[in-house]
Amino acid sequence: MGESQTNGAATNGVNGTHDVNGTNGTNGTNGTTNGTNGTTNGTNGTNGTNGQSKPNGLWKSLWNNGLTNGVNGHTNGNRRENEWFIGSIDQGTTSSRFLIFNRFMDPIASHQIEFENLYPESGWHEHDAYELLNSVEACIERAMEQFAYKGYSKSQVKAVGITNQRETTVCWDKITGEPLCNAVVWPDTRTKDIVRDLKNYPGAHKIPELCGLPLSTYPSSVKLVWLLQNNLAVRRAYEDCRLAFGTVDSWLIYRLNGKENNVHVTDTTNASRTMFMNLHTLQYDDRLLNFFGIDKAKVTLPKIVPSSDPEAFGKIANGALAGVRIAGCLGDQSSALVGQCGFKPGQAKNTYGTGCFLLYNCGDKPVLSKYGLLATVAFDFGKGRKPVYALEGSIAVGGSGVKFLMNNLGFIRDSTKVGELAETVKDNGGVVFVTAFSGLFAPYWIDDAKGTIFGITQHTQRGHIARATLEATCFQTRAILEAMEKDSKHYLESLAVDGGMSNSDLTMQTQADISGIRVERPAMRETTALGAAIAAGLAVEGCWTDFDQLIELTRKKAGRRVFEPHVDRKKAQRMYRHWERAVDMSRGWLRDDHLDEEDQSSRPDILRQPTL
């Protein structure tokens, strides 16, 4: 998020230029004018074909020869036929986006559409599967209009990558291609009773050894079990052997290809979030499927393929990009690690989105955590390269906590103003907000916690609660970083950040202070979308070729911001102890003693006792 659009053209937040009404916009990040980038509009020239301006005099000479961008060292000016681009679909929890990147990894066109999040009952979180698809298709059309206005053509888009919210579960009829119910979104906690039961099954402790994930409400597996148990349409499709299951990437790829072409695939990063895939073989494991009571003869699972492949994901069937191949696919957090060029073991990133997700590159062998983290696939680019694994810590509530202040409490009208509200007070005033709206994820894994605010007095103001909301994300990030250090036996010296909340200087400084490590924020923060573009670009000929090339391009980017810790370590430790005490006190709100007396024989067949 963190971007805006004016008259269909991306503003400074996206590509550093601002072309409105044909005047010379100033690049807010690098301080260069559009003339430097060869995109000067009507002030210095007259509009030519395809909406491009053609400057007169000295500018005409420079235009004809191609203007050099001093920041990135590449040439713009006349559109060249050999110039190529990669598209990126970024389908998130609150919005869908489509961006087009040039060879220098700069976004030159984009469009974003927010959609409705559905909360039909307490703890439930759903999306309309059609709205996800339609918003993606509309973003492609609008961004391609910008692209064409700048004088480029579809033929210059070499491939498209997809990055998506993970774990969100979509079920559809494989005969008709129509969704059978709303998508169940990753933070949804309706499955808490199923998870509690599964934890008591024989062999449950062996599950993380196979798939890298602990039993929780988070993965896709328990969402599918719940739907089979409670949704009649899904259950009937399962019994009739016409049920198709997938995460959001599979659903989008299936429909973008045209449902008649039946391209039903997923990549290893998304498959690793289902609990159905063996983390070591990167294929579905019958022991895992049997544990969850899933008969693979009755449900069609997507084929697992590498994250970067020129053929496996098919082609877009309709619209402005009809015929363009889909060549890359990454779950959103893996995509952000790739977008940060975190290709080497020991590199870590945190994406501050709806939730927050820390990934730590641990190399080509999975590391099974002893401290509450997840083992997952970081990326798998094929072509003889070994898959790369990561340790991950997930925070359920990040930016969604800010939206809670805005939508539920009415503290602010614009989520970007939360920092200003927090700065109206000098500290949190003793307030601690445990934002456990969906329980607490890593490293705590407390399913029965609820959101709880401690320390409210008559002195408490809105600013204190706003500051405590931002700090909640930073405290949980510190807890995960400490777990990563224990598992990896390596002290992390810095943390790369991206995502909407990373735009807040206050939040990033707070993160540095609480964690006691350096926080590094890139100038171009569209790292999640960039990661999918990189995956696609590596798959096709004539684009990026290797990691070193990508790292070198990243190093040339100006505008990186570093936040150093400023708070005394003793004060930071004291604040953290208050947080840990609040976490302990938030436990147990969902406990109900009568559930212990539940008649075990009343459970449906789908939850029959499995064996490993």
Side-chain angles (χ1 to χ4, degrees):
M1 301 174 69
E3 70 180 337
S4 61
Q5 277 125 8
T6 307
N7 296 332
T11 65
N12 297 357
V14 178
N15 61 12
T17 62
H18 192 174
D19 298 333
V20 182
N21 299 325
T23 62
N24 260 356
T26 300
N27 182 318
T29 302
N30 301 316
T32 59
T33 63
N34 289 348
T36 304
N37 294 321
T39 57
T40 309
N41 284 342
T43 300
N44 289 319
T46 57
N47 287 334
T49 58
N50 298 323
Q52 282 189 308
S53 59
K54 295 190 176 180
N56 295 319
L58 174 61
W59 284 109
K60 181 176 180 180
S61 174
L62 292 171
W63 180 279
N64 289 334
N65 291 323
L67 294 174
T68 299
N69 181 320
V71 175
N72 296 319
H74 61 272
T75 300
N76 287 334
N78 281 340
R79 177 175 61 84
R80 300 182 180 180
E81 293 300 327
N82 63 354
E83 210 170 344
W84 54 265
F85 302 86
I86 300 290
S88 179
I89 295 168
D90 182 356
Q91 203 299 300
T93 310
T94 59
S95 69
S96 297
R97 307 167 64 207
F98 183 70
L99 297 88
I100 302 172
F101 291 90
N102 63 18
R103 70 179 67 195
F104 306 100
M105 303 194 299
D106 299 318
I108 60 133
S110 71
H111 194 74
Q112 175 177 351
I113 295 176
E114 293 193 357
F115 51 81
E116 185 177 8
N117 279 259
L118 308 172
Y119 305 96
E121 296 187 31
S122 177
W124 292 30
H125 190 173
E126 297 180 351
H127 288 154
D128 181 334
Y130 269 130
E131 193 168 11
L132 301 183
L133 174 66
N134 294 339
S135 62
V136 165
E137 291 179 330
C139 285
I140 291 174
E141 297 301 311
R142 300 292 85 78
M144 285 301 293
E145 288 176 2
Q146 295 177 35
F147 189 65
Y149 180 81
K150 293 183 177 183
Y152 301 111
S153 67
K154 180 184 76 172
S155 64
Q156 293 176 278
V157 180
K158 298 303 182 185
V160 169
I162 293 178
T163 183
N164 57 282
Q165 52 172 315
R166 304 168 304 169
E167 293 93 15
T168 296
T169 300
V170 186
C171 291
W172 65 93
D173 188 318
K174 70 178 185 180
I175 305 301
T176 66
E178 305 301 313
L180 295 165
C181 59
N182 282 337
V184 181
V185 186
W186 57 271
D188 187 287
T189 59
R190 73 184 73 181
T191 58
K192 59 185 182 296
D193 293 339
I194 291 173
V195 171
R196 187 194 63 247
D197 292 340
L198 288 171
K199 287 180 177 178
N200 294 323
Y201 283 171
H205 66 285
K206 296 181 180 179
I207 290 293
E209 298 175 11
L210 294 175
C211 67
L213 306 180
L215 285 164
S216 73
T217 59
Y218 193 28
S220 310
S221 55
V222 293
K223 293 175 171 58
L224 178 58
V225 169
W226 189 95
L227 289 169
L228 288 169
Q229 177 182 338
N230 293 279
N231 188 287
L232 184 59
V234 174
R235 182 73 188 197
R236 283 177 174 171
Y238 179 76
E239 295 298 345
D240 294 343
C241 301
R242 52 184 173 81
L243 174 62
F245 158 87
T247 43
V248 170
D249 58 310
S250 297
W251 166 245
L252 293 178
I253 291 167
Y254 173 74
R255 292 304 297 253
L256 289 173
N257 272 274
K259 59 185 179 181
E260 64 279 0
N261 292 314
N262 195 30
V263 180
H264 190 192
V265 298
T266 188
D267 89 299
T268 50
T269 67
N270 280 293
S272 70
R273 315 303 297 188
T274 63
M275 295 189 82
F276 295 148
M277 187 190 82
N278 186 306
L279 196 62
H280 308 275
T281 66
L282 304 184
Q283 296 298 324
Y284 295 117
D285 193 305
D286 288 341
R287 291 169 293 179
L288 293 169
L289 292 167
N290 290 338
F291 181 84
F292 292 104
I294 303 297
D295 184 349
K296 64 180 180 181
K298 293 184 176 181
V299 57
T300 302
L301 303 173
K303 180 182 178 181
I304 301 173
V305 300
S307 311
S308 180
D309 192 284
E311 304 295 339
F313 303 108
K315 297 179 179 180
I316 296 177
N318 301 297
L321 286 177
V324 175
R325 74 182 78 181
I326 303 169
C329 180
L330 289 162
D332 52 7
Q333 303 314 316
S334 291
S335 193
L337 181 66
V338 171
Q340 291 272 17
C341 290
F343 301 125
K344 298 178 181 179
Q347 293 182 303
K349 72 88 198 174
N350 191 14
T351 296
Y352 297 79
T354 303
C356 292
F357 301 87
L358 283 83
L359 256 68
Y360 174 87
N361 184 327
C362 54
D364 58 13
K365 292 183 174 58
V367 174
L368 299 179
S369 176
K370 298 178 181 178
Y371 299 96
L373 302 179
L374 312 179
T376 192
V377 178
F379 50 86
D380 177 11
F381 289 153
K383 292 186 177 180
R385 302 182 182 98
K386 291 183 178 180
V388 173
Y389 295 89
L391 284 169
E392 176 176 336
S394 309
I395 300 170
V397 177
S400 59
V402 176
K403 288 210 166 187
F404 174 79
L405 297 182
M406 180 176 68
N407 297 333
N408 297 54
L409 302 184
F411 278 16
I412 47 179
R413 293 185 179 181
D414 182 348
S415 59
T416 62
K417 302 297 183 182
V418 66
E420 294 179 14
L421 177 59
E423 287 178 326
T424 60
V425 294
K426 64 179 181 178
D427 54 32
N428 61 24
V431 175
V432 178
F433 189 0
V434 181
T435 51
F437 302 152
S438 303
L440 287 172
F441 289 177
Y444 307 106
W445 298 110
I446 307 173
D447 290 336
D448 60 3
K450 278 287 189 181
T452 318
I453 302 178
F454 298 94
I456 291 181
T457 67
Q458 288 182 317
H459 167 69
T460 302
Q461 302 174 30
R462 291 184 304 162
H464 294 122
I465 297 175
R467 189 176 281 266
T469 303
L470 299 178
E471 290 176 350
T473 299
C474 300
F475 284 128
Q476 292 175 82
T477 297
R478 170 172 168 168
I480 293 171
L481 289 172
E482 290 184 348
M484 285 180 170
E485 288 179 7
K486 292 175 183 177
D487 277 324
S488 67
K489 297 179 174 57
H490 175 72
Y491 175 73
L492 296 175
E493 296 181 353
S494 65
L495 177 68
V497 299
D498 55 68
M501 286 182 71
S502 72
N503 292 325
S504 165
D505 288 355
L506 173 64
T507 305
M508 294 301 96
Q509 185 59 57
T510 302
Q511 185 67 79
D513 292 341
I514 288 174
S515 303
I517 65 172
R518 184 173 67 254
V519 172
E520 298 180 354
R521 184 179 68 192
M524 202 290 289
R525 295 165 212 167
E526 307 297 345
T527 53
T528 303
L530 176 59
I534 288 173
L538 288 172
V540 296
E541 293 183 2
C543 298
W544 302 301
T545 56
D546 56 50
F547 295 159
D548 289 339
Q549 179 189 19
L550 295 165
I551 293 170
E552 184 63 24
L553 285 170
T554 302
R555 286 175 178 169
K556 289 183 177 180
K557 305 290 182 186
R560 195 173 191 86
R561 177 78 185 273
V562 176
F563 299 86
E564 299 283 355
H566 290 160
V567 168
D568 177 73
R569 279 189 174 272
K570 289 184 178 179
K571 179 180 178 181
Q573 187 62 29
R574 186 166 59 250
M575 293 171 64
Y576 188 61
R577 283 200 302 268
H578 288 167
W579 164 260
E580 293 284 278
R581 190 183 312 152
V583 167
D584 286 339
M585 295 175 70
S586 73
R587 297 172 184 264
W589 289 96
L590 296 181
R591 292 176 188 162
D592 196 338
D593 292 338
H594 82 273
L595 291 175
D596 295 335
E597 303 168 5
E598 181 185 25
D599 181 5
Q600 300 284 326
S601 64
S602 67
R603 293 182 186 143
D605 289 343
I606 196 66
L607 278 177
R608 65 184 181 278
Q609 282 216 335
T611 57
L612 281 178

